[in-house]
Amino acid sequence: MKLGILADIHSNLEALRCVLGALKDIDGYLCPGDIVGYGPNPNECIEIVRELRCGAVAGNHDLACIGILDPRRFTEDAREAVSWTINMLTEDNRKFLETLPLRLEGDGFEMVHGSLRNPAEEYIIGLKDGAATIELMKKEICFVGHLHTSLVIVKDKAGKYDGWQLNDGDMVDTTKFDKVVINVGGVGQPRDMDPRASFGIYDTEKHTVEIRKVEYNIIAVQEKMRKANLPDFLIERLKYGR
Ligand code: ZN
């Protein structure tokens, strides 16, 4: 089975559509959180996630937009986008966000937005925080989001930790390791200095995860964000992927 991994969609409909167009012969989808926040199309993105029957977990932005997480912990721009999103969300879509669990488990994998220590809010950036999550893992693979950067942290069969960034076309063969934490990068607001929408393809039979990045119409999204009066910094950063 092949599963498309769609992390940090962040209400970016153009990016999400391009990613779905690039995913061929896919049997299902996983979303490691942050469907909404930052971008101009929260309802449309939630509706696609619902239609695709994505296995999804809640991200910190999803939780802030339904009043579960205090947005005072966010940057001012992110907070502004949260307030805007709260006003835009339909009752039905808000209720859907309320159903999202913090952690999801499947055959061979588990998934959280941040980390297993703190599912909604901790960033896995390097070996130290990666190792802390690895020690809590019950499955071979843990999909995370939150950082908006594609990277992998592994514990090899000798018990040694390692980690590296992943680029377009990179494939991780998880059978080579004891445990693997993977962030496939962000669909809707990538931050690895590559503005392309980033996503993953998890092959559950070969136990591989491939990273892919596709271009999308950034200008169209920026225009919508300007019309919605979303913060300039959030509009500008899409162009640079940071
Ligand atoms: Zn995010």
Side-chain angles (χ1 to χ4, degrees):
M1 207 160 65
K2 280 187 179 174
L3 302 176
I5 318 288
L6 316 168
D8 295 281
I9 298 166
H10 281 298
S11 304
N12 187 332
L13 182 61
E14 276 69 19
L16 179 57
R17 280 191 181 142
C18 284
V19 164
L20 293 175
L23 280 166
K24 303 272 182 275
D25 306 318
I26 288 295
D27 304 292
Y29 299 87
L30 294 174
C31 174
D34 277 2
I35 304 166
V36 300
Y38 296 133
N41 290 103
N43 289 308
E44 293 83 350
C45 290
I46 294 174
E47 280 149 26
I48 289 175
V49 166
R50 294 173 70 176
E51 271 161 36
L52 294 174
R53 298 181 182 280
C54 279
V57 293
N60 56 328
H61 286 255
D62 303 319
L63 294 171
C65 289
I66 54 173
I68 289 177
L69 195 140
D70 189 348
R72 276 180 295 188
R73 285 183 246 178
F74 287 16
T75 63
E76 203 183 320
D77 288 336
R79 221 162 43 227
E80 240 183 84
V82 166
S83 306
W84 182 87
T85 305
I86 289 172
N87 283 324
M88 295 299 291
L89 281 181
T90 65
E91 181 65 10
D92 208 32
N93 286 334
R94 194 179 56 77
K95 280 192 180 142
F96 171 77
L97 292 182
E98 286 173 358
T99 66
L100 297 177
L102 286 175
R103 186 171 164 277
L104 193 86
E105 220 176 278
D107 200 16
F109 75 90
E110 54 202 303
M111 181 169 78
V112 283
H113 182 60
S115 75
L116 288 178
R117 283 198 298 201
N118 180 346
E121 291 185 281
E122 186 189 16
Y123 289 95
I124 293 186
I125 299 168
L127 294 190
K128 204 170 159 226
D129 29 65
T133 274
I134 284 173
E135 290 315 312
L136 297 171
M137 281 170 67
K138 293 182 192 146
K139 308 284 180 141
E140 303 87 77
I141 306 172
C142 182
F143 292 108
V144 299
H146 200 31
L147 192 65
H148 302 200
T149 297
S150 41
L151 57 82
V152 61
I153 312 276
V154 301
K155 181 184 185 184
D156 70 16
K157 287 177 176 160
K160 217 176 118 255
Y161 293 98
D162 198 3
W164 56 94
Q165 279 218 229
L166 297 166
N167 297 307
D168 186 26
D170 284 355
M171 180 86 86
V172 179
D173 178 354
T174 68
T175 62
K176 288 184 179 161
F177 308 102
D178 180 37
K179 295 271 187 278
V180 178
V181 176
I182 292 195
N183 189 329
V184 299
V187 169
Q189 196 206 72
R191 293 178 192 162
D192 23 28
M193 300 308 288
D194 183 337
R196 292 178 294 174
S198 191
F199 60 102
I201 301 167
Y202 170 35
D203 187 320
T204 62
E205 273 124 57
K206 292 182 186 154
H207 304 276
T208 55
V209 181
E210 185 188 356
I211 299 300
R212 296 274 307 280
K213 294 177 193 272
V214 284
E215 285 183 12
Y216 70 96
N217 193 343
I218 293 174
I219 290 166
V221 182
Q222 290 177 315
E223 274 168 14
K224 284 197 233 174
M225 290 173 78
R226 254 178 232 116
K227 273 192 191 147
N229 270 322
L230 284 160
D232 283 337
F233 173 69
L234 300 181
I235 298 170
E236 281 305 303
R237 70 186 308 174
L238 292 178
K239 185 164 69 189
Y240 307 103
R242 66 174 163 87

